[in-house]
Amino acid sequence: MSAVLDNHGHPAADGHAHDDHHDHAPAGWRRWVYATNHKDIGTLYLLFSFTMFIVGGILALGIRAELFQPGLQLVNPELFNQLTTMHGIIMVFGAIMPAFVGFANWMIPLQIGAGDMAFARMNNFSFWLMIPAALMVVASFFMPGGAPAGGWTLYAPLSLQMGPGMDAGIFALHILGASSIMGSINIIVTILNMRAPGMTLMKMPMFCWTWLITAYLLIAVMPVLAGAITMTLTDRHFGTSFFNPAGGGDPVMFQHIFWFFGHPEVYIMILPAFGIVSQIIPAFARKKLFGYASMVYATSSIAILSFIVWAHHMFTTGMPVTGQLFFMYATMLIAVPTGVKIFNWIATMWKGEMTFETPMLFAVGFIFVFTMGGFTGLILAVAPIDTQVQDTYYVVAHFHYVLVAGSLYALFAGYYYWSPKWTGVMYNETRGKIHFWWSLIAFNVTFFPMHFLGLAGMPRRYADYPAQFADFNALASVGGFAFGLAQVYFFFFIVLPTMMGKGEPAKQNPWQDPDGRGAEGLEWEVPSPAPFHTFENPPKLNKAATKIVTH
């Protein structure tokens, strides 16, 4: 095969042919509407998720503006409850989950040496299903009675009493669930059937492992959510009484069904984040990941244990003491595999020759703040303490430490780490560091005071509060607006310039030092930006399955 030129007309850096002569991307709107290329679909998912992140963020700022001082300032209590409910639903189903699916689409075929995802047309369909669902969610605000206002958990009997906005929300969740299940099937088949020869499962990058396990979780629990919301729908319109006490139903049963979905869902949103961090830490510590096999087993353990802890969200529903003890100890057990992961990351960094570019800053920030969120989760696992702080701002602080500083920071880390491969240009390192420090400080100013508010007894989802809570609420609101501004800065000063090709041209592997240590994996074996079609013929790998020997 003749020498291959990169996108700038120079010979490919490693001298390997990368099938660039097939690099014929279709032009115009058809490229995106009919997209079947995993890179294009990954980009669509990422743009969609960031859009929904901004929408959900605007709702959050509405909440924080109202809570800036005591008394009803800007919105009435009904609209306040709609804001809190829709903020949660949009962030979980519209922002975090699609962002990780976007990363999966972009990176999994590159990391395992596959030409594309297994089912390219289904991949397109699973993305485009999200658009009508998102429009329906947002449109519910303009329906009679407004958007759903029962909390993102949609607890009965509140969800049985809402207007047609609730039906729109239920329909949208069904569509999003179908999209998730199709995406998961695609990821599982791709990983199990399309790895390059020589890449055994135990040689796969950790990001692929965490997504493989996450995809199984999604297939297991999305139908459970579908069941819960379908029962709610029939209670609302077809005379059934699953959750309606007037007809002999039980509202607590809804909580059991919902959290049987909801708790694995929490891990669906954090396991791919673990995978991203497990790629970045070794690259910038210039060492192999410590305890690769134990990381795989720990991820699997977390996934399995996530199915037996659902009722720790329900300690105050009148659970018998035996049940409380079981769910308390089962919850504490999850801390063990999670602790193994944190230990392995720290052991990887130990005596490594670390540098702190932006991806590493976000990865280390992730470990620090996620660990804090994990500790507050352990405290909530203790039934007598949970009884005191249930449904207070302590819980809000806990899950934002896990989901914002967990999932979101890992997404930022992954963006900074892989965007040179996506766009072919380097982001501005100084701006990246400003984004990190700005986000880290603003996040802690927003959510750390909420621990104290919760311990002092301030309930969540209240539009008003006594004056004794005023100072910490004002502080949290200022932090919230600062955090939102940081993300606007990220988009306009970091994402947009790289999307437009402004910046230093990226090397094939920008994270390698002169001694050849740093980022490893097949994605760094193709030129930057990655050609439209990669690995049309399966690459031949070295023994470690991290380098291409020949095509």
Side-chain angles (χ1 to χ4, degrees), residues 332-369:
M332 291 182 172
L333 199 58
I334 278 198
V336 177
T338 313
V340 167
K341 286 181 165 299
I342 290 165
F343 174 82
N344 284 12
W345 291 324
I346 293 169
T348 306
M349 293 189 278
W350 179 253
K351 293 196 173 174
E353 293 185 29
M354 288 197 289
T355 54
F356 290 96
E357 288 87 348
T358 312
M360 186 63 162
L361 283 177
F362 268 107
V364 174
F366 166 92
I367 295 172
F368 169 64
V369 196

Side-chain angles (χ1 to χ4, degrees), residues 67 80-81 84 151-153 155 259 313 389-396 399-400 454 457-463:
L67 295 174
F80 184 85
N81 283 342
T84 51
W152 83 275
T153 51
Y155 277 179
W259 284 116
H313 298 264
V389 294
Q390 169 78 13
D391 269 336
T392 69
Y393 267 77
Y394 190 88
V395 179
V396 177
F399 69 70
H400 280 89
M458 180 173 165
R460 66 199 273 206
R461 298 188 187 135
Y462 275 35

Side-chain angles (χ1 to χ4, degrees), residues 206-284:
M206 271 309 298
F207 181 65
C208 296
W209 257 116
T210 53
W211 243 117
L212 179 64
I213 291 163
T214 301
Y216 278 113
L217 274 181
L218 272 164
I219 289 173
V221 302
M222 289 315 284
V224 178
L225 174 67
I229 58 180
T230 303
M231 290 154 87
T232 305
L233 195 70
T234 60
D235 272 14
R236 286 168 56 81
H237 296 295
F238 301 109
T240 58
S241 291
F242 293 112
F243 312 128
N244 188 353
D250 183 3
V252 175
M253 182 169 78
F254 179 89
Q255 296 191 30
H256 278 291
I257 301 169
F258 179 87
W259 284 116
F260 193 78
F261 147 80
H263 205 80
E265 166 67 19
V266 173
Y267 292 98
I268 285 162
M269 289 189 283
I270 202 66
L271 289 182
F274 290 164
I276 291 173
V277 171
S278 300
Q279 301 286 130
I280 292 171
I281 299 278
F284 293 94

Side-chain angles (χ1 to χ4, degrees), residues 85-246:
T85 301
M86 300 310 287
H87 165 69
I89 288 174
I90 286 170
M91 286 304 200
V92 169
F93 296 102
I96 299 292
M97 287 171 69
F100 281 126
V101 178
F103 273 88
N105 265 296
W106 246 107
M107 298 318 304
I108 287 174
L110 285 180
Q111 290 192 325
I112 63 174
D116 207 305
M117 297 294 279
F119 306 116
R121 289 178 190 277
M122 186 165 86
N123 208 7
N124 175 291
F125 187 48
S126 62
F127 170 75
W128 284 108
L129 275 178
M130 304 193 78
I131 304 297
L135 292 172
M136 215 176 319
V137 163
V138 175
S140 66
F141 274 106
F142 306 101
M143 294 178 182
W152 83 275
T153 51
L154 305 177
Y155 277 179
L158 269 178
S159 55
L160 305 181
Q161 298 162 4
M162 305 273 145
M166 177 62 70
D167 301 318
I170 288 172
F171 192 30
L173 285 176
H174 272 303
I175 297 173
L176 292 168
S179 167
S180 289
I181 289 170
M182 284 194 286
S184 301
I185 291 168
N186 217 339
I187 286 166
I188 290 170
V189 175
T190 303
I191 291 177
L192 294 185
N193 288 355
M194 296 177 67
R195 299 190 309 281
M199 180 173 283
T200 61
L201 282 174
M202 291 309 278
K203 286 180 182 170
M204 276 198 321
M206 271 309 298
F207 181 65
C208 296
W209 257 116
T210 53
W211 243 117
L212 179 64
I213 291 163
T214 301
Y216 278 113
L217 274 181
L218 272 164
I219 289 173
V221 302
M222 289 315 284
V224 178
L225 174 67
I229 58 180
T230 303
M231 290 154 87
T232 305
L233 195 70
T234 60
D235 272 14
R236 286 168 56 81
H237 296 295
F238 301 109
T240 58
S241 291
F242 293 112
F243 312 128
N244 188 353

